[in-house]
Amino acid sequence: MRFTSLFGPAAAEFAYLIQLWPVWNQIIAPAQGLNFDPVPPPSLDLSELGRVALTGDFDAISLYTYQQQTESIYSTNGSQAIVTQRPNGDFATTVTSDGFIKSMCPFVMKDGTLAGVVVGGNFTSMGGLETQGVAMYDPNTQKITALTGLTGNVNVVWCDQDTNTVYVGGDFKGGNSTNAVAWVGTSGWSDLPFTGFNGPVNEIRGAPNGNMIFAGSFTGLANKSSTTLVHKDQQIINLSSANITSGFSSTTNGFGDPRNIVCKTSGQDGEGNTWLLEDNTAGFWNANLSFGFQPTKLRLWNTHQDGRGTQTFRFTAFPNAIMNFTYIDPANGKNTSCDARCPLSNDTKVPYQDFRFVNTVGMSSFQIDISAWYGQGGGLDGIELFQDDIYAFAVASLNEPACATNKFPSNASSTGPWKETPSHYSNSIYLTANLTGSSTGPDDVSVTFRPDIQQAGNYSVTIYTPGCKQDSTCDSRGIVNVTWSLASTPSPSQPQQTTIYQTNDYDKYDQLYFGPVDVNSDSFRPSVTLRPAANQKEGTSIVAQRVRFVLTNSTGGLNGLFEFDPNQATVDDDFSKSSIDKAAMGLDPGATLNGLAILDGVIYAGGNASAPGIKNIFTVNGSNATALPGAGLNAEVTTLFAFEDLLFVAGNFTGTANPTVQGINNIAIFNSTSQAWQTVGAGVNGRVDTIVPLDLNITTDTPETVIAFSGVFDQINAFDSSPAIAVSGFAIWVPTQQNWQQNLVMQSMAIDGYLSASTNVTGSTPLLSGSISSQDINAGDAISLTSNPLRINSLGVKIQPEQPSSSSKRKRAVSGVSGQNTTGAVTGLFYNSGNTNITVLGGHFTATASNGSTLNNLIFLNSTGTITGVASGLDTESVFLSLATQDSVLYAGGTITGKINNADVNGLILYDLVQANYAFPQPPPLEGDNVAVNAITTRPNSRQVYVGGSFDSAGSLPCPAVCMFENQQWSQPGSELGGSVSTFAWQGSSNLLAGGNLTVSGTATSLASYDAKKSEWSALDDAAHSVPGPVTALTPANNDGSQFWIAGKNTNGSAFLMKYDGSSFTSIGDDFGVDTTIRGLSMMQLSENHDSNDLVPRGMVLLLTGQLDLPNFGNASAALFNGTNFTPFLLSTSRNNPGSISQLFSEKVLSFKNSGGHMAVGLVVLIALACALGAIFLLVVAGVLIERYRRKNEGYIPAPTSYFDKTSNMGRIPPEHLFGRLQQQGAPQL
């Protein structure tokens, strides 16, 4: 089968840019009004270092490539956003809502004009603009337009270009419509001919014949459904909690208090029972309640005290709405109406009179004005208000009063630290609980609502949540779990609990349940209970306000499906004329349909529905519902998605209804070509709520369509040779690989979170909705780094969660360096000698070996990609913090315990990399409280290995903080040092610099130097006063280590960074955020110089790794410092938290170039000697050339080089000629 991209070539151009940094500077900023400002890439030159890698605690990682990029995590508080892809393939948030976005569609008009993208969900605001459930989004400007008029939740929007109409469905009210309405062209909201449904709409699709199909939990049309209330006006509005005032009340003792008539139903006159006005004076009685209500009936008891009584009155709902009534005239028994002057009988045989409201009007305060009276003045003996709505309030005083005649009045009970909160802009006061301290978990904090149910039937149950803006709790609002028990024998197919996110900016309500509710009885009482969700952060706040029960008609002629012809102005009452309606009516009553899909002209419907031979999914064939193979699926279907000839199905099922296919767990594929079910791996271990397609680069530079599943699950099930994988409710299926992205070893983009919907917009990148985070690559805790071009790559090591049966976590937090939590890959090294080429990673993790076995904490990756580990013997809770090699022996230190060859080890082990086995013998174990080896180094040109950390002795040898291992035995280097060592660096071949939390001869210091020739420790000058806390990271700043950088934590918890120039310390200042932890420092070479400064040479840059909070940026995992500015370098995440990088390690050591700093004395002498010899040579050459030139100018003729025949010449000269002159002159005179 061919799997093509759903999103076209535009997205395909993006993915190959995920890792190539320099190319991005050439990209033109995309449309949609999104900013994409590339960052100039750092000119790192890694050529001298050989292979380079970084370790840390991260699941996904990115290079920092554009200014808008952040180390973002996805929201878990229920807020979602519209998301699009940037040119580098990254996902970017455009606008954020305060709730879930459930559906989107591009509203394209008949003329092809894009009016915007219609967005629906359960939000109350989007882009900071208040808009209930639906909004219009402009993808070019990112502007939000509120589509006001609805109250409630929108589940689905469907844009129909042919009719210029957007069909909207959900659980809401708007205009005269309920649960379904239309937005037409530019004119706005329009009621559909049938004004909606008597239950929620979950899905809308255009049928092949041009009609619209609505699916949901309804049994009738809104304009055709009528619910017969056996008990009308069944809920009494509690006036006891109201603020009651009056005007012109009697001054007679016992008759002037307006509260005399509240909760008085006997009609008895007298002091304390009757409220009177002054004689012959008009007056009023006013009630101001702390909640809103919609009264349907007013009951008044007239007074007959001393012949007095009220003759006429009017009822005013504030602000200034005089209400109309109908009533039965007690004199003639006729139905009569009144408004401003409603009469009240003074017949003592009439105990009370009922006045029914003509219009249903919401109010929270009202006033009764008495304009005429009997006898000397007006008054009343009692008052009650009733409503059809059934509410249970969290604040007990708002429920039905104690004087209510109902046997089971509405009430609520609470446990925990609840406090009343003013209503502000909400409908009523409510309870707020701050989850601080102990006893604030789900078992300790709750509110239970008990409604006054007097009539059994189908009810819609909704819960109301006050907005967080009004009480300024948006930053602390949390999540609640709501459970219910509404029928004495609940249907097993009906849900009994849900999760509500309370981060809504403005008031909202969520439907909890739609189905049968039993009447109150002595043996059963319907109830709804709200509790905080587990494992929320300290200081989370939750609220509880009210729950509403609305009786619905269960015999409206429909059963979860309705076909609507947009061309008909009226709706035919004969639903059997529609094959779609008729097919659903053939299902068992009470069907709930959640998903619709159309594949090759066939309509598929899924939900919670059944019929003989049909379970939860079916096709509409003619006028019948037709079963799929295996009779369908054995539990509820939540959503459907059609892709080519495949139907992806998700829900809460574990197989077909007739078990015929293994491995169908909450996700399945129905192949319309072969008419058979297919598995998606082996599915996941929990309910799946959404299916969303998106394009990702998986194997090549061409993106392909993958399928994302989101829901309530925490594991991708094992199948074939693929192990189970722990996830957080999000999984991506790669059709071309027939596997989960999380299972693939190949490098691909990292994405996590929750996706709820997607839509295509012509001429633009696809829009997604949800809450997601993304990074360049999926990489577990270790990556390689290359330059030219700058790039990060996974090492191909699959660090993964442990098997679900284990109680421990994937990366278990332990106390490491300086008490910091140490997780993931902490350290690493490259070993390359002879034919052995191994990358070693150590830390606290679980990984998978090439043979499929589980490895813990120390792994080896050879040049062929084979992954192995050490043999058994070490405790799985061990943590490796430091590594070094001497010859082929690996020295691995940390918090390590266990047995090797039946001998105890503690803190340090030796492992032969060539023999691939533990070295023998192992060194005697280190001793002390909480032994940890944090640093290991070999002395240059020596067999000595220095081990530093937190320990007291090695075997029986006392050697606190530092021990030296040589020739299979421990020795103590010096006797002055104490404390705990975190890091080492050599200054030449005989001076070792140690950083940590140290003492030298009892004096505290952060830095100490060891002279190996003298075997003596000394505190570094000025370190005790200049360094503000223990040193946890150290790196040389020149070749001999006389200059260096240090980092650590101040005593107040803040991070510090300092440079030592050979004589004094320079602090970089308090630029870091409070959450900064610097774990590693490394000097890096540049191919292009930066501006000159006194801290960092022009051709170099300082790399900081850890969990950084950078000034004017925020979280980063690595940053570069050029002496004046910090620039983010790497961004990472780990389990939806900011990630961290422990350290960089390389195959070779960096050799510093002279950039104006001090050079080693030996090197200076050698250079001087070479210069002197060169100068002498040049002088000699110059002298020879000058002499030759002088002689030539003076007529110098070279001597002949040939010789005469000396023998013949001697024969020709007579002796007398040769000596004759000597005889003539005589001897010289003295």
Side-chain angles (χ1 to χ4, degrees):
M1 183 179 302
R2 181 176 59 88
F3 292 90
T4 58
S5 170
L6 285 182
F7 297 149
E13 297 174 0
F14 299 155
Y16 83 101
L17 298 172
I18 288 175
Q19 300 159 20
L20 299 181
W21 196 328
V23 180
W24 296 349
N25 287 325
Q26 312 300 322
I27 297 174
I28 299 174
Q32 302 185 7
L34 290 176
N35 293 323
F36 183 80
D37 301 317
V39 175
S43 55
L44 293 182
D45 181 1
L46 308 179
S47 58
E48 288 190 12
L49 299 179
R51 292 177 294 166
V52 178
L54 297 107
T55 58
D57 180 17
F58 51 84
D59 301 319
I61 191 166
S62 294
L63 290 164
Y64 176 65
T65 58
Y66 59 92
Q67 293 179 13
Q68 291 76 24
Q69 193 175 358
T70 62
E71 198 171 74
S72 62
I73 60 176
Y74 60 86
S75 168
T76 58
N77 66 359
S79 62
Q80 293 188 349
I82 298 175
V83 178
T84 189
Q85 280 186 293
R86 296 187 185 275
N88 68 333
D90 184 25
F91 291 89
T93 295
T94 61
V95 292
T96 302
S97 74
D98 67 345
F100 274 55
I101 297 172
K102 298 182 178 181
S103 182
M104 299 186 295
C105 67
F107 187 21
V108 181
M109 311 293 281
K110 287 182 178 180
D111 61 3
T113 303
L114 177 66
V117 176
V118 183
V119 184
N122 72 345
F123 48 81
T124 66
S125 71
M126 179 167 284
L129 183 68
E130 182 176 6
T131 178
Q132 287 275 346
V134 64
M136 187 86 76
Y137 169 71
D138 186 335
N140 295 313
T141 64
Q142 302 179 60
K143 179 182 177 182
I144 291 292
T145 301
L147 304 184
T148 57
L150 303 186
T151 303
N153 301 327
V154 171
N155 294 328
V156 58
V157 293
W158 181 269
C159 297
D160 184 19
Q161 183 176 359
D162 294 338
T163 60
N164 269 3
T165 302
V166 181
Y167 294 93
V168 180
D171 179 21
F172 58 79
K173 293 185 180 297
N176 296 318
S177 294
T178 303
N179 301 327
V181 72
W183 181 276
V184 179
T186 58
S187 59
W189 294 115
S190 175
D191 293 321
L192 294 168
F194 51 91
T195 67
F197 301 90
N198 67 351
V201 173
N202 298 325
E203 184 69 287
I204 302 173
R205 281 289 182 273
N209 61 3
N211 291 345
M212 305 306 300
I213 307 173
F214 294 81
S217 299
F218 49 79
T219 58
L221 303 178
N223 67 344
K224 301 293 182 181
S225 302
S226 59
T227 303
T228 302
L229 286 172
V230 176
H231 302 279
K232 286 182 177 292
D233 319 312
Q234 61 178 319
Q235 183 143 20
I236 301 174
I237 298 168
N238 193 342
L239 299 178
S240 301
S241 60
N243 179 25
I244 298 174
T245 58
S246 63
F248 305 102
S249 295
S250 173
T251 57
T252 303
N253 188 35
F255 292 92
D257 187 353
R259 300 192 68 87
N260 285 350
I261 63 174
V262 176
C263 232
K264 300 296 176 61
T265 59
S266 65
Q268 181 179 353
D269 287 321
E271 183 178 335
N273 291 322
T274 301
W275 167 72
L276 297 177
L277 290 172
E278 292 181 4
D279 290 349
N280 299 311
T281 303
F284 65 87
W285 188 95
N286 180 282
N288 189 356
L289 288 78
S290 55
F291 61 96
F293 54 93
Q294 292 181 327
T296 56
K297 185 175 72 175
L298 168 68
R299 177 172 290 176
L300 292 176
W301 283 262
N302 206 350
T303 183
H304 306 286
Q305 179 75 32
D306 301 328
R308 298 168 182 265
T310 296
Q311 185 176 7
T312 60
F313 72 93
R314 75 179 180 194
F315 186 104
T316 303
F318 288 106
N320 303 321
I322 298 174
M323 305 305 297
N324 297 326
F325 292 104
T326 61
Y327 66 98
I328 303 298
D329 190 334
N332 55 29
K334 292 183 178 180
N335 196 0
T336 313
S337 61
C338 66
D339 48 28
R341 296 177 64 84
C342 291
L344 200 60
S345 173
N346 69 340
D347 188 346
T348 57
K349 296 180 181 179
V350 178
Y352 57 80
Q353 280 183 254
D354 287 341
F355 297 84
R356 293 194 175 278
F357 290 80
V358 174
N359 301 308
T360 302
V361 175
M363 63 189 76
S364 60
S365 63
F366 66 91
Q367 183 168 297
I368 295 176
D369 292 283
I370 299 175
S371 55
W373 48 89
Y374 300 105
Q376 294 299 310
L380 294 170
D381 275 351
I383 180 173
E384 278 187 334
L385 274 178
F386 300 82
Q387 63 183 7
D388 288 342
D389 295 335
I390 303 170
Y391 285 100
F393 290 89
V395 178
S397 62
L398 306 188
N399 288 305
E400 290 183 288
C403 59
T405 57
N406 302 336
K407 185 177 180 180
F408 302 101
S410 63
N411 64 58
S413 59
S414 62
T415 61
W418 296 100
K419 295 181 179 180
E420 287 190 14
T421 303
S423 60
H424 299 288
Y425 305 111
S426 189
N427 178 274
S428 71
I429 60 176
Y430 52 93
L431 298 181
T432 300
N434 190 278
L435 307 181
T436 301
S438 60
S439 301
T440 55
D443 297 332
D444 308 303
V445 182
S446 68
V447 173
T448 298
F449 304 85
R450 301 178 187 87
D452 180 5
I453 303 297
Q454 301 179 27
Q455 178 179 343
N458 274 5
Y459 283 80
S460 173
V461 182
T462 52
I463 189 168
Y464 290 75
T465 304
C468 63
K469 280 195 170 182
Q470 61 188 355
D471 59 10
S472 301
T473 59
C474 291
D475 292 337
S476 63
R477 281 285 186 95
I479 307 168
V480 296
N481 285 329
V482 183
T483 58
W484 53 86
S485 174
L486 302 176
S488 56
T489 307
S491 168
S493 63
Q494 286 280 10
Q496 303 297 319
Q497 69 89 31
T498 192
T499 298
I500 303 291
Y501 294 85
Q502 296 195 322
T503 51
N504 45 294
D505 290 342
Y506 305 96
D507 285 15
K508 71 166 183 174
Y509 66 81
D510 293 277
Q511 184 180 60
L512 301 176
Y513 174 85
F514 185 85
V517 176
D518 285 352
V519 68
N520 289 327
S521 67
D522 292 328
S523 61
F524 178 76
R525 185 85 191 262
S527 64
V528 175
T529 300
L530 178 151
R531 304 177 187 273
N535 302 319
Q536 300 190 76
K537 66 180 181 181
E538 182 85 358
T540 295
S541 62
I542 59 172
V543 294
Q545 188 183 55
R546 56 189 173 131
V547 176
R548 182 187 185 192
F549 290 71
V550 177
L551 184 65
T552 63
N553 190 349
S554 60
T555 57
L558 296 175
N559 195 21
L561 279 182
F562 175 65
E563 181 181 11
F564 169 62
D565 184 351
N567 298 315
Q568 299 297 321
T570 59
V571 175
D572 195 332
D573 293 343
D574 187 359
F575 300 133
S576 65
K577 293 180 180 179
S578 165
S579 60
I580 295 173
D581 298 354
K582 189 174 180 180
M585 287 185 283
L587 302 171
D588 295 341
T592 295
L593 295 173
N594 302 316
L596 293 172
I598 299 173
L599 193 60
D600 296 330
V602 177
I603 300 171
Y604 293 80
N608 186 357
S610 62
I614 296 176
K615 293 292 183 183
N616 302 309
I617 187 168
F618 59 90
T619 64
V620 176
N621 185 2
S623 60
N624 297 316
T626 302
L628 271 62
L633 298 166
N634 63 6
E636 183 179 12
V637 171
T638 56
T639 186
L640 305 174
F641 173 68
F643 177 50
E644 295 192 344
D645 61 344
L646 303 180
L647 181 69
F648 283 84
V649 184
N652 197 30
F653 46 82
T654 57
T656 55
N658 298 330
T660 57
V661 182
Q662 300 297 319
I664 292 180
N665 294 290
N666 305 297
I667 303 171
I669 294 175
F670 180 71
N671 190 314
S672 64
T673 301
S674 64
Q675 290 292 296
W677 290 105
Q678 297 176 1
T679 60
V680 181
V684 295
N685 71 339
R687 188 184 78 241
V688 174
D689 296 323
T690 66
I691 304 174
V692 176
L694 68 153
D695 274 19
L696 286 183
N697 180 23
I698 299 296
T699 58
T700 66
D701 59 3
T702 301
E704 60 184 272
T705 297
V706 298
I707 311 297
F709 299 91
S710 302
V712 186
F713 55 89
D714 58 18
Q715 177 185 302
I716 296 173
N717 294 332
F719 74 100
D720 296 338
S721 61
S722 298
I725 302 175
V727 292
S728 299
F730 185 79
I732 293 177
W733 180 254
V734 184
T736 59
Q737 302 297 313
Q738 286 295 290
N739 210 330
W740 299 100
Q741 184 205 22
Q742 289 88 338
N743 263 330
L744 302 178
V745 177
M746 61 189 66
Q747 184 166 295
S748 62
M749 186 176 208
I751 176 172
D752 200 5
Y754 190 105
L755 285 174
S756 56
S758 67
T759 192
N760 290 329
V761 181
T762 302
S764 179
T765 55
L767 293 179
L768 305 170
S769 66
S771 176
I772 63 173
S773 66
S774 63
Q775 301 292 346
D776 287 355
I777 59 172
N778 269 318
D781 298 341
I783 58 168
S784 65
L785 179 67
T786 57
S787 56
N788 299 320
L790 191 62
R791 181 175 182 146
I792 56 175
N793 294 283
S794 170
L795 289 182
V797 179
K798 195 171 183 181
I799 294 178
Q800 63 180 22
E802 292 187 350
Q803 295 301 316
S805 59
S806 173
S807 61
S808 62
K809 297 181 180 179
R810 174 168 76 95
K811 302 170 185 174
R812 298 141 293 183
V814 296
S815 179
V817 178
S818 299
Q820 301 165 1
N821 283 341
T822 304
T823 57
V826 180
T827 183
L829 62 77
F830 294 110
Y831 175 78
N832 190 357
S833 179
N835 296 322
T836 306
N837 190 331
I838 296 175
T839 302
V840 184
L841 297 177
H844 200 54
F845 53 79
T846 298
T848 301
S850 296
N851 62 6
S853 63
T854 298
L855 306 176
N856 289 294
N857 309 322
L858 184 65
I859 59 176
F860 310 107
L861 173 65
N862 68 20
S863 56
T864 64
T866 302
I867 301 170
T868 58
V870 296
S872 61
L874 301 180
D875 296 336
T876 57
E877 296 302 315
S878 296
V879 184
F880 289 88
L881 302 173
S882 53
L883 302 172
T885 58
Q886 187 176 78
D887 298 331
S888 65
V889 176
L890 172 71
Y891 288 72
T895 56
I896 306 166
T897 56
K899 286 182 177 293
I900 297 176
N901 298 323
N902 295 320
D904 290 334
V905 293
N906 193 8
L908 181 72
I909 66 167
L910 273 57
Y911 186 87
D912 193 312
L913 295 172
V914 174
Q915 300 298 322
N917 203 352
Y918 293 116
F920 181 83
Q922 292 288 312
L926 299 171
E927 304 292 343
D929 296 331
N930 301 317
V931 169
V933 171
N934 300 322
I936 305 174
T937 185
T938 57
R939 181 181 176 184
N941 305 317
S942 167
R943 305 292 300 172
Q944 298 175 352
V945 178
Y946 288 76
V947 175
S950 176
F951 46 81
D952 298 327
S953 62
S956 60
L957 174 70
C959 55
V962 176
C963 270
M964 190 263 287
F965 190 75
E966 184 180 20
N967 297 325
Q968 299 298 319
Q969 64 181 8
W970 290 108
S971 61
Q972 181 182 12
S975 58
E976 302 86 0
L977 191 68
S980 176
V981 168
S982 299
T983 181
F984 281 143
W986 283 99
Q987 297 174 310
S989 60
S990 59
N991 288 321
L992 177 63
L993 181 65
N997 190 5
L998 308 171
T999 61
V1000 176
S1001 300
T1003 302
T1005 185
S1006 297
L1007 292 164
S1009 179
Y1010 175 69
D1011 188 330
K1013 293 180 179 180
K1014 298 180 180 179
S1015 189
E1016 181 178 279
W1017 287 96
S1018 61
L1020 190 72
D1021 292 342
D1022 201 34
H1025 301 96
S1026 300
V1027 181
V1031 170
T1032 58
L1034 164 67
T1035 190
N1038 59 0
N1039 281 316
D1040 66 0
S1042 60
Q1043 299 182 29
F1044 52 84
W1045 287 90
I1046 58 171
K1049 285 279 191 179
N1050 201 324
T1051 53
N1052 63 9
S1054 62
F1056 67 82
L1057 176 65
M1058 307 181 78
K1059 183 181 180 182
Y1060 184 73
D1061 64 2
S1063 60
S1064 63
F1065 288 95
T1066 300
S1067 173
I1068 305 306
D1070 299 326
D1071 289 337
F1072 300 106
V1074 293
D1075 296 327
T1076 293
T1077 297
I1078 301 173
R1079 300 187 187 278
L1081 298 172
S1082 301
M1083 291 297 295
M1084 309 289 288
Q1085 190 168 295
L1086 297 175
S1087 59
E1088 298 179 7
N1089 292 342
H1090 56 72
D1091 292 339
S1092 177
N1093 61 78
D1094 294 334
L1095 292 174
V1096 180
R1098 296 182 62 195
M1100 304 203 76
V1101 68
L1102 176 66
L1103 172 69
L1104 293 79
T1105 57
Q1107 193 171 73
L1108 313 176
D1109 186 354
L1110 299 179
N1112 303 316
F1113 180 77
N1115 291 330
S1117 300
L1120 300 172
F1121 180 62
N1122 64 2
T1124 56
N1125 297 307
F1126 291 96
T1127 302
F1129 179 50
L1130 292 170
L1131 311 178
S1132 73
T1133 56
S1134 175
R1135 302 175 298 283
N1136 200 36
N1137 287 296
S1140 68
I1141 294 178
S1142 296
Q1143 62 177 238
L1144 176 144
F1145 64 94
S1146 58
E1147 193 172 17
K1148 301 176 182 177
V1149 177
L1150 178 67
S1151 176
F1152 290 83
K1153 296 180 179 180
N1154 182 19
S1155 299
H1158 298 290
M1159 302 181 69
V1161 174
L1163 187 59
V1164 172
V1165 171
L1166 289 174
I1167 293 174
L1169 179 61
C1171 292
L1173 292 174
I1176 293 171
F1177 175 75
L1178 291 175
L1179 288 174
V1180 170
V1181 171
V1184 170
L1185 293 174
I1186 292 171
E1187 180 63 18
R1188 287 175 62 88
Y1189 179 77
R1190 182 186 64 80
R1191 291 182 177 183
K1192 184 176 182 180
N1193 286 342
E1194 293 178 355
Y1196 168 77
I1197 299 175
T1201 58
S1202 59
Y1203 293 92
F1204 296 104
D1205 186 350
K1206 297 179 181 181
T1207 305
S1208 60
N1209 286 340
M1210 288 297 294
R1212 293 174 184 174
I1213 301 174
E1216 60 274 17
H1217 289 181
L1218 181 63
F1219 301 108
R1221 293 180 65 90
L1222 292 175
Q1223 294 174 355
Q1224 293 173 4
Q1225 294 178 355
Q1229 293 181 2
L1230 297 177

